[in-house]
Amino acid sequence: MNKVITISRQYGSGGREIGAKLAAKLSIPFYDNEIITRAAKESGFAEAAFENAENKATNSLLYSIAMGMNTYGNQELGFSHLSLDDRIYLAQSDVIRKVAAEGPCVIVGRCADYILKDMKNVVNVFIWADIPFRIKRAIEVENLSPNKAQENILKIDKRRANYYNYHASEKWGRVENYHLSLKSSFIGIDNCVDCIIEFLKHAGQ
């Protein structure tokens, strides 16, 4: 298995757990917060700066204004004109490319599917679920109240979408961005892992 698997996911869908179990079954590295730790170490930015970057993306228009309307895509402006968060994104992107180049692995979130779009051995997976399933998981896994769980579903999904839509210039969750989409509330967490493994056997043929 010579594939890099990216996992994008709705909050509460179990995407991170699926990614971790998939990596364990395939005996390959798993990267989630590890990306932040390595990017912080290599760039000199504090880990908190990376964690805060995605959390700021609560409003797509305000986020774009704060980030300079995607200025890092304009080569004429140069790196010095980038916002702190744009530089943090680029540092994180560099680490994602490095770990993907090191060999097969599973990477959760952080626009990895877009960052690695030019690599031929990448398989992009999107995990989603219905609201009751997601609320139940948020209550059980994160020990949240039902009201807080529902609030987080709306808030965190919006953050992830805005962050992705801004940095990737694509639409988060859009079917064309992924090779495989799985509804975890329909088939279950462990069956999602097995489905991905089976899919990988035929990917790229």
Side-chain angles (χ1 to χ4, degrees):
M1 205 288 295
N2 187 31
K3 295 286 190 296
V4 173
I5 304 102
T6 74
I7 305 283
S8 301
R9 74 284 185 221
Q10 291 181 330
Y11 173 79
S13 65
R16 188 186 188 283
E17 182 180 347
I18 290 167
K21 287 185 173 182
L22 176 65
K25 274 201 169 186
L26 295 175
S27 299
I28 60 177
F30 172 73
Y31 295 104
D32 183 14
N33 292 331
E34 295 83 357
I35 295 288
I36 290 178
T37 301
R38 181 163 167 177
K41 182 178 180 181
E42 293 187 8
S43 68
F45 292 119
E47 287 191 33
F50 289 88
E51 294 167 354
N52 290 336
E54 186 174 307
N55 291 339
K56 290 179 182 177
T58 54
N59 180 289
S60 58
L61 176 60
L62 294 179
Y63 185 66
S64 292
I65 293 172
M67 296 302 99
M69 300 303 289
N70 208 352
T71 56
Y72 62 81
N74 188 336
Q75 298 301 316
E76 295 180 1
L77 292 177
F79 190 80
S80 62
H81 289 77
L82 299 182
S83 68
L84 173 61
D85 281 3
D86 279 341
R87 280 181 277 172
I88 285 171
Y89 170 78
L90 291 177
Q92 186 170 265
S93 299
D94 187 50
V95 169
I96 288 172
R97 292 189 187 94
K98 284 179 180 178
V99 299
E102 289 168 3
C105 60
V106 175
I107 305 173
V108 174
R110 298 180 174 82
C111 301
D113 59 298
Y114 177 78
I115 292 165
L116 302 176
K117 63 185 175 65
D118 294 326
M119 288 187 64
K120 296 187 181 299
N121 65 327
V122 175
V123 174
N124 302 317
V125 179
F126 190 82
I127 306 296
W128 63 290
D130 56 33
I131 295 295
F133 178 88
R134 295 163 68 190
I135 290 176
K136 184 172 183 290
R137 274 191 61 87
I139 292 171
E140 293 175 352
V141 176
E142 300 194 30
N143 197 29
L144 300 178
S145 67
N147 287 340
K148 185 63 176 177
Q150 189 154 11
E151 177 187 327
N152 273 15
I153 285 172
L154 298 175
K155 182 171 64 177
I156 295 176
D157 273 2
K158 186 175 182 180
R159 285 177 182 170
R160 289 175 179 173
N162 288 340
Y163 183 84
Y164 184 93
N165 296 349
Y166 169 77
H167 286 294
S169 301
E170 299 279 357
K171 290 295 183 183
W172 182 75
R174 188 175 180 179
V175 65
E176 291 90 343
N177 297 337
Y178 311 98
H179 300 105
L180 178 66
S181 177
L182 293 171
K183 187 176 183 180
S184 56
S185 56
F186 184 67
I187 63 174
I189 299 295
D190 291 333
N191 286 333
C192 280
V193 176
D194 293 338
C195 280
I196 295 170
I197 291 174
E198 190 62 31
F199 183 81
L200 290 172
K201 295 176 183 178
H202 308 283
Q205 292 186 359

Coordinates of all heavy atoms in Angstrom, one line a residue, residues 6-19 30-33 54 107-113 125-129 134 153 156-158 160-161 163-164 172-173 178 182 184:
T6 N -5.9 11.3 3.0 CA -6.3 12.5 3.8 C -7.7 12.2 4.2 O -8.6 11.7 3.5 CB -6.2 13.7 2.9 OG1 -7.3 13.8 1.9 CG2 -4.9 13.9 2.2
I7 N -8.0 12.6 5.4 CA -9.4 12.5 6.0 C -9.9 13.9 6.3 O -9.4 14.6 7.2 CB -9.4 11.7 7.3 CG1 -8.7 10.3 7.1 CG2 -10.8 11.5 7.8 CD1 -9.5 9.3 6.4
S8 N -10.9 14.3 5.6 CA -11.7 15.5 5.9 C -13.0 15.0 6.6 O -13.5 13.9 6.3 CB -12.0 16.3 4.7 OG -10.8 16.7 4.0
R9 N -13.5 15.8 7.6 CA -14.6 15.3 8.3 C -15.5 16.3 8.9 O -15.0 17.4 9.3 CB -14.2 14.3 9.4 CG -13.5 15.0 10.6 CD -12.1 15.5 10.4 NE -11.5 16.0 11.6 CZ -10.8 17.1 11.6 NH1 -10.6 17.8 10.5 NH2 -10.2 17.5 12.7
Q10 N -16.8 16.0 9.1 CA -17.7 16.9 9.8 C -17.4 16.6 11.3 O -17.0 15.6 11.7 CB -19.1 16.5 9.5 CG -19.6 16.9 8.1 CD -21.1 16.5 7.9 OE1 -21.6 15.6 8.5 NE2 -21.7 17.3 7.0
Y11 N -17.6 17.7 12.1 CA -17.5 17.5 13.5 C -18.4 16.5 14.1 O -19.6 16.5 13.8 CB -17.7 18.9 14.2 CG -17.7 18.8 15.7 CD1 -16.5 18.7 16.4 CD2 -18.9 18.8 16.4 CE1 -16.5 18.7 17.8 CE2 -18.9 18.7 17.8 CZ -17.7 18.6 18.5 OH -17.7 18.6 19.9
G12 N -17.9 15.6 14.9 CA -18.8 14.6 15.5 C -19.0 13.3 14.6 O -19.7 12.4 15.1
S13 N -18.4 13.3 13.4 CA -18.7 12.2 12.5 C -17.7 11.0 12.8 O -17.9 9.9 12.3 CB -18.5 12.6 11.1 OG -17.1 13.0 10.8
G14 N -16.7 11.2 13.7 CA -15.8 10.1 14.0 C -14.6 10.1 13.0 O -13.9 9.1 13.0
G15 N -14.4 11.1 12.2 CA -13.3 11.1 11.2 C -12.0 10.9 11.8 O -11.1 10.2 11.2
R16 N -11.7 11.6 12.9 CA -10.3 11.4 13.5 C -10.1 10.0 14.0 O -9.1 9.4 13.8 CB -10.1 12.4 14.7 CG -8.7 12.4 15.2 CD -8.5 13.2 16.4 NE -7.1 13.3 16.8 CZ -6.4 12.4 17.4 NH1 -7.0 11.2 17.7 NH2 -5.1 12.5 17.6
E17 N -11.1 9.4 14.6 CA -11.0 8.0 15.1 C -10.9 7.1 13.9 O -10.1 6.1 14.0 CB -12.3 7.6 15.9 CG -12.2 6.2 16.5 CD -13.5 5.9 17.3 OE1 -14.3 6.8 17.6 OE2 -13.7 4.7 17.6
I18 N -11.6 7.3 12.9 CA -11.5 6.5 11.7 C -10.1 6.6 11.1 O -9.5 5.5 10.8 CB -12.5 6.9 10.6 CG1 -13.9 6.5 11.1 CG2 -12.2 6.3 9.3 CD1 -15.0 7.1 10.3
G19 N -9.5 7.8 11.1 CA -8.2 8.0 10.6 C -7.1 7.2 11.4 O -6.2 6.6 10.9
F30 N 0.2 8.3 11.5 CA -1.0 9.0 11.6 C -0.7 10.4 12.1 O 0.1 10.7 13.0 CB -1.9 8.4 12.7 CG -3.2 9.2 13.0 CD1 -4.2 9.3 12.1 CD2 -3.3 9.9 14.2 CE1 -5.3 10.0 12.3 CE2 -4.4 10.6 14.5 CZ -5.5 10.7 13.5
Y31 N -1.2 11.4 11.3 CA -0.9 12.8 11.6 C -2.2 13.6 11.8 O -3.0 13.7 10.9 CB -0.1 13.4 10.4 CG 1.3 12.8 10.2 CD1 1.5 11.9 9.2 CD2 2.3 13.1 11.1 CE1 2.8 11.4 9.0 CE2 3.6 12.6 10.9 CZ 3.8 11.7 9.8 OH 5.0 11.1 9.6
D32 N -2.3 14.2 13.0 CA -3.3 15.2 13.2 C -2.7 16.4 13.9 O -2.1 17.2 13.3 CB -4.4 14.5 14.1 CG -5.6 15.5 14.4 OD1 -5.7 16.5 13.7 OD2 -6.4 15.2 15.3
N33 N -2.7 16.4 15.2 CA -2.0 17.5 16.0 C -0.5 17.4 15.8 O 0.2 18.3 16.1 CB -2.3 17.4 17.5 CG -3.8 17.8 17.7 OD1 -4.4 18.5 17.0 ND2 -4.4 17.2 18.7
E54 N -7.2 28.2 12.7 CA -8.5 27.7 12.2 C -9.7 28.2 13.1 O -10.8 28.4 12.5 CB -8.5 26.1 12.3 CG -9.7 25.5 11.7 CD -9.6 24.0 11.6 OE1 -8.6 23.5 11.0 OE2 -10.5 23.3 12.1
I107 N -3.4 11.6 7.1 CA -3.4 13.0 7.5 C -4.9 13.4 7.7 O -5.7 13.4 6.8 CB -2.7 13.9 6.5 CG1 -1.3 13.4 6.2 CG2 -2.6 15.3 7.1 CD1 -0.6 14.1 5.1
V108 N -5.2 14.0 8.9 CA -6.5 14.4 9.2 C -6.6 16.0 9.0 O -5.8 16.7 9.7 CB -7.0 14.0 10.6 CG1 -8.3 14.6 10.9 CG2 -7.0 12.5 10.7
G109 N -7.6 16.4 8.2 CA -7.9 17.8 8.2 C -6.8 18.7 7.6 O -5.9 18.3 6.8
R110 N -6.8 20.0 7.9 CA -5.8 21.0 7.6 C -5.6 21.2 6.1 O -4.5 21.4 5.6 CB -4.5 20.7 8.3 CG -4.7 20.8 9.8 CD -3.4 20.4 10.6 NE -3.7 20.7 12.0 CZ -4.3 19.8 12.8 NH1 -4.7 18.6 12.3 NH2 -4.6 20.1 14.1
C111 N -6.6 21.1 5.3 CA -6.6 21.3 3.9 C -5.6 20.3 3.2 O -5.1 20.6 2.1 CB -6.2 22.7 3.5 SG -7.3 24.0 4.2
A112 N -5.3 19.2 3.8 CA -4.3 18.3 3.3 C -4.6 17.8 1.9 O -3.8 17.6 1.0 CB -4.1 17.1 4.2
D113 N -5.9 17.6 1.6 CA -6.3 17.1 0.3 C -6.0 18.1 -0.8 O -5.5 17.8 -1.9 CB -7.8 16.8 0.3 CG -8.7 18.0 0.6 OD1 -8.6 18.5 1.7 OD2 -9.5 18.4 -0.2
V125 N -10.6 11.3 1.4 CA -11.8 10.7 2.0 C -12.5 11.8 2.8 O -11.9 12.6 3.5 CB -11.5 9.5 2.9 CG1 -12.7 8.9 3.5 CG2 -10.7 8.5 2.2
F126 N -13.8 11.8 2.7 CA -14.7 12.7 3.5 C -15.6 11.9 4.3 O -16.3 11.0 3.8 CB -15.5 13.7 2.6 CG -16.1 14.8 3.3 CD1 -15.4 15.9 3.7 CD2 -17.5 14.7 3.7 CE1 -16.0 17.0 4.4 CE2 -18.1 15.7 4.4 CZ -17.4 16.9 4.8
I127 N -15.6 12.2 5.6 CA -16.5 11.4 6.6 C -17.6 12.4 7.0 O -17.3 13.5 7.5 CB -15.7 10.9 7.8 CG1 -14.5 10.1 7.3 CG2 -16.6 10.1 8.7 CD1 -14.9 8.8 6.6
W128 N -18.8 11.9 6.9 CA -19.9 12.8 7.4 C -21.0 11.9 8.1 O -20.8 10.6 8.1 CB -20.6 13.5 6.2 CG -21.2 12.6 5.2 CD1 -20.6 11.8 4.3 CD2 -22.6 12.4 4.9 NE1 -21.4 11.1 3.5 CE2 -22.7 11.5 3.8 CE3 -23.8 13.0 5.4 CZ2 -23.9 11.1 3.3 CZ3 -25.0 12.6 4.9 CH2 -25.1 11.7 3.9
A129 N -21.9 12.5 8.7 CA -22.9 11.7 9.5 C -24.1 12.6 9.8 O -24.1 13.8 9.6 CB -22.3 11.3 10.8
R134 N -24.0 12.6 15.4 CA -22.9 13.6 15.8 C -23.1 14.1 17.2 O -22.1 14.3 17.9 CB -22.8 14.7 14.7 CG -22.4 14.1 13.4 CD -22.7 15.1 12.2 NE -21.9 16.3 12.3 CZ -22.0 17.4 11.6 NH1 -23.1 17.4 10.7 NH2 -21.2 18.4 11.7
I153 N -21.4 21.6 16.7 CA -21.5 21.0 15.4 C -21.7 22.2 14.4 O -21.0 22.2 13.3 CB -22.8 20.1 15.3 CG1 -22.5 18.7 16.0 CG2 -23.2 19.9 13.9 CD1 -23.7 17.9 16.1
I156 N -18.1 24.6 14.7 CA -16.9 24.0 14.2 C -16.9 23.6 12.8 O -16.0 23.8 12.0 CB -16.5 22.8 15.1 CG1 -16.2 23.2 16.5 CG2 -15.3 22.0 14.5 CD1 -15.9 22.1 17.5
D157 N -18.1 23.1 12.3 CA -18.2 22.9 10.9 C -18.1 24.2 10.1 O -17.4 24.2 9.0 CB -19.6 22.2 10.6 CG -19.5 20.7 10.7 OD1 -18.5 20.2 11.0 OD2 -20.6 20.1 10.4
K158 N -18.6 25.2 10.6 CA -18.5 26.5 9.9 C -17.0 27.0 9.9 O -16.6 27.5 8.8 CB -19.4 27.6 10.6 CG -19.4 28.9 9.9 CD -20.4 29.9 10.5 CE -20.5 31.2 9.8 NZ -21.4 32.1 10.4
R160 N -14.4 25.1 10.0 CA -13.6 24.2 9.0 C -13.9 24.6 7.6 O -13.0 24.6 6.7 CB -14.0 22.7 9.3 CG -13.4 22.2 10.6 CD -13.8 20.8 10.9 NE -13.2 20.3 12.1 CZ -13.5 19.2 12.7 NH1 -14.5 18.4 12.2 NH2 -13.0 18.8 13.9
A161 N -15.2 24.9 7.3 CA -15.6 25.2 5.9 C -14.9 26.6 5.5 O -14.4 26.7 4.4 CB -17.1 25.3 5.8
Y163 N -12.3 28.1 6.8 CA -10.8 27.9 6.7 C -10.4 27.2 5.4 O -9.5 27.7 4.7 CB -10.3 27.1 7.9 CG -8.8 26.9 8.0 CD1 -8.0 27.9 8.6 CD2 -8.2 25.8 7.5 CE1 -6.7 27.7 8.7 CE2 -6.8 25.6 7.6 CZ -6.1 26.6 8.2 OH -4.7 26.4 8.3
Y164 N -11.1 26.2 5.1 CA -10.8 25.4 3.8 C -11.2 26.3 2.6 O -10.4 26.4 1.7 CB -11.6 24.1 3.8 CG -11.3 23.2 2.6 CD1 -10.3 22.2 2.7 CD2 -12.0 23.4 1.4 CE1 -10.1 21.4 1.7 CE2 -11.7 22.6 0.3 CZ -10.7 21.6 0.5 OH -10.5 20.8 -0.6
W172 N -15.4 23.3 0.9 CA -15.3 22.2 1.8 C -16.5 21.3 1.7 O -17.6 21.7 1.7 CB -15.2 22.8 3.2 CG -15.0 21.8 4.3 CD1 -13.9 21.1 4.6 CD2 -16.0 21.4 5.3 NE1 -14.1 20.3 5.7 CE2 -15.3 20.5 6.2 CE3 -17.3 21.7 5.5 CZ2 -16.0 19.9 7.2 CZ3 -18.0 21.2 6.6 CH2 -17.3 20.2 7.4
G173 N -16.2 20.0 1.6 CA -17.3 19.0 1.6 C -17.9 18.8 0.2 O -18.7 17.9 0.0
Y178 N -13.1 14.9 -3.4 CA -12.8 13.7 -2.7 C -13.0 12.4 -3.6 O -13.8 12.4 -4.5 CB -13.7 13.5 -1.4 CG -13.7 14.8 -0.6 CD1 -14.7 15.7 -0.7 CD2 -12.6 15.1 0.3 CE1 -14.7 16.9 0.0 CE2 -12.6 16.3 1.0 CZ -13.6 17.2 0.8 OH -13.6 18.4 1.5
L182 N -18.0 8.8 2.9 CA -18.6 7.7 3.7 C -19.5 8.3 4.8 O -19.1 9.3 5.5 CB -17.6 6.8 4.4 CG -16.8 5.9 3.4 CD1 -15.6 5.3 4.2 CD2 -17.6 4.9 2.8
S184 N -20.7 7.8 8.2 CA -20.3 7.0 9.4 C -21.5 6.6 10.2 O -21.5 5.5 10.9 CB -19.3 7.7 10.3 OG -19.7 9.0 10.7

